Amino acid sequence: MSSRRSRQQSGSNRISDDQIIELVSKLRQLVPEIRDRRSDKVSASKVLQETCNYIRNLHREVDDLSERLSQLLATIDADSAEAAIIRSLINQ
Amino acid sequence: MSSLQPNVDSTNSETMQRSNPKKRRKIGHSNSLSLVPWRSETQQRIYSSKLAEALRYVIHRNPPSLPAKSSAGREVRETADRVLAATAKGRTRWSRAILASPLNRWKLRRMHKKVHKASTGLPKKSPETRRRLPVVQKKARVLGRLVPGCRKLTFPNLLEEATDYISALEMQVRAMTALTELLTGGGSLASA
């Protein structure tokens, strides 16, 4: 249905199917769920679904990491934290 | 210490002058954008050092004993997101959206959730109109809600923003994991 709309409209709003396919394939490369399954024919809705799940997982990981970081920052004092960070930056 | 705040102001004023919300970005322009290489180690190091500085600023501002422990995690998360958006140099829509909302994004999310629950009591559309929405459009809408600031984008632009956002999030996870391990190791060394 969306392809029908894009063909009727002319000018800047035309979205070619090839561009969409290209973007979807780029997205497929990023999401590990789909990339590792090695099937060439994955439907667009599946790609979108896995992308949403992946983003939600990443959000949850960041939340957990933030919680742990906040606890760590509260327990150890500021000086040793700064020393550790500076030490790591120098060693890199 | 206050280096984070002026950066935020400058990117805001820049984007206000450049962006025209009425014009839709053509997809041809996307190739000319030099997006941030999120996978490079240099980029991760830049992000880690900025994040460390921002977190030190946050610690020194609040006393070490925070009264509400649940808010500390959220503050860290918001700081991490803002530093991530700043590292993106404001070239992507999601980064501009993060930097442009100083209000607590979590409170807005809770409000949206309440509104959504209230609407389920209303009479739904007839089954014919519901079937007309293709599944892909529904999924695209969900995706637009997940990526900050991308609710009203056209489909190709949304996919573009999503790919950049995913790479940025992966780098954020890597950097914060490294930082956590660092602090865990550094704490034990200092106490010994």
Side-chain angles (χ1 to χ4, degrees), chain B residues 23-84:
Chain B
K23 279 191 192 162
R24 275 199 189 160
R25 199 165 50 118
K26 292 184 193 172
I27 196 164
H29 287 186
S30 65
N31 296 329
S32 61
L33 283 178
S34 54
L35 294 176
V36 179
W38 293 108
R39 305 235 162 160
S40 74
E41 231 190 87
T42 323
Q43 205 55 240
Q44 190 172 330
R45 229 175 285 160
I46 295 176
Y47 176 70
S48 304
S49 52
K50 279 194 187 174
L51 178 61
E53 191 183 328
L55 285 176
R56 259 180 285 153
Y57 179 69
V58 167
I59 303 172
H60 283 310
R61 208 180 43 184
N62 301 332
S65 58
L66 286 165
K69 282 186 185 173
S70 60
S71 67
R74 208 191 322 140
E75 266 202 56
V76 173
R77 167 82 202 264
E78 282 176 14
T79 314
D81 282 345
R82 273 207 303 272
V83 176
L84 186 70

